[in-house]
Amino acid sequence: MTAIQINNSSNVEQQKGVTPELGLVCITFSSLVRFRTMTRTRYLQLTKEQRESALRELYRDNLQRLNLGLSFCQDNQLRLYRMSSALFPLSDMEDEIGAHILEEMSGDLAKIGQKAAELQIRMVLHPDQFVVLSSDSPDVVKSSIKILARHAQTLDLLGLPKSTWSLMNIHGGKSKRTDQLVRVVSELPENIKNRLTFENDEYAYSSEEILEVCHRTGVPMVFDAHHHICHENLDSYDDASVASMFYAGRETWANPEWQLVHISNGEQAFKDRKHSELITDMPSVYREAPWIEIEAKRKEEAIAHLRSWWVMGK
């Protein structure tokens, strides 16, 4: 299938600052950029030699697909790309087979990071829901840190900066556990903490609550306007609190030009938590956002549509 071509918006001037960079999340709606995976169950059925062979082939294939993802971003004037958190599945297994294979591939990973740097494409990551640093369970916290450490190691192998330019974005996790969350963050290794950002959500941590965590930890806030309106039961993205939290979030970034935000729309209704196929409603204040991840089902088509009516139409 031919990739949809996204209009170049780089020559459009914005009333306040630069035109926002719109980011692709993980894969394309077309079949062009997809990644392979393997289940833990299947992996455990294999012999040691079979595991090594299977993971080596899978990792090399996914690295080629990641390279294709960067080329897609280049072709479509996208400077923000969220990598899949399942890019190298099972690399955190106790047998460390996947981890050793990634080390063997370090030269190839470094070339991908260099390509991103040359193309000025910002690569970021959103670890999965199993990362819960505020859990009551020490085992869950330990596992969460292990997952983050593996992601951080992958970013290191890619040669990406140990900063929130190459951020790892997570949610607060278990509610009413702010002190626990702050304590765990304070003890994280630098290559994790220096990349960490926190995002507000619909249930456990409101924008104000995660903002407090960000202030106490020194970790920047990724503001999600749709999570905010769902949590606060609001009827418009232009409610005064949306702009207020956007600006408050910006204050947590040591470099405000790196501020990243998320947008999604409700599938069936404004406050529906399920993501819609396209983005048809945007907060006015997001015209001041330097980086916006587009969380919509139709991926690059949603970006093209958003550019047609919001970026090019203002």
Side-chain angles (χ1 to χ4, degrees), residues 35-174:
F35 296 97
R36 293 173 55 198
T37 191
M38 178 185 291
T39 66
R40 180 185 176 90
T41 300
R42 170 59 181 155
Y43 181 78
L44 293 176
Q45 293 172 345
L46 303 177
T47 65
K48 181 177 182 295
E49 291 74 19
Q50 289 173 329
R51 292 176 185 181
E52 290 178 352
S53 176
L55 288 189
R56 186 171 285 107
E57 179 188 357
L58 191 158
Y59 290 1
R60 291 199 177 279
D61 194 7
N62 276 359
L63 195 59
Q64 292 176 354
R65 294 170 188 235
L66 180 61
N67 183 59
L68 183 62
L70 288 179
S71 295
F72 178 88
C73 289
Q74 177 189 19
D75 293 342
N76 293 284
Q77 293 82 45
L78 294 169
R79 292 190 55 231
L80 175 61
Y81 178 56
R82 182 201 291 181
M83 294 178 286
S84 169
S85 63
L87 190 63
F88 302 118
L90 306 167
S91 62
D92 60 348
M93 293 290 289
E94 294 294 336
D95 59 20
E96 297 190 343
I97 291 174
H100 289 148
I101 292 172
L102 288 179
E103 290 288 350
E104 293 174 9
M105 296 171 55
S106 60
D108 294 325
L109 269 73
K111 290 177 183 178
I112 296 293
Q114 182 61 34
K115 178 176 179 176
E118 291 172 354
L119 296 176
Q120 297 184 315
I121 295 174
R122 183 180 185 183
M123 299 175 74
V124 300
L125 191 66
H126 196 334
D128 60 37
Q129 71 273 16
F130 298 112
V131 175
V132 184
L133 297 180
S134 55
S135 174
D136 293 327
S137 167
D139 288 339
V140 171
V141 174
K142 182 179 179 181
S143 175
S144 298
I145 295 173
K146 182 179 179 182
I147 292 171
L148 291 176
R150 172 42 51 194
H151 286 315
Q153 178 65 11
T154 298
L155 297 179
D156 287 345
L157 291 172
L158 286 165
L160 300 179
K162 294 181 176 65
S163 71
T164 51
W165 174 260
S166 304
L167 62 82
M168 297 192 296
N169 182 54
I170 63 174
H171 293 282
K174 189 173 178 61

Side-chain angles (χ1 to χ4, degrees), residues 141 208 215:
V141 174
E208 290 188 354
H215 281 308

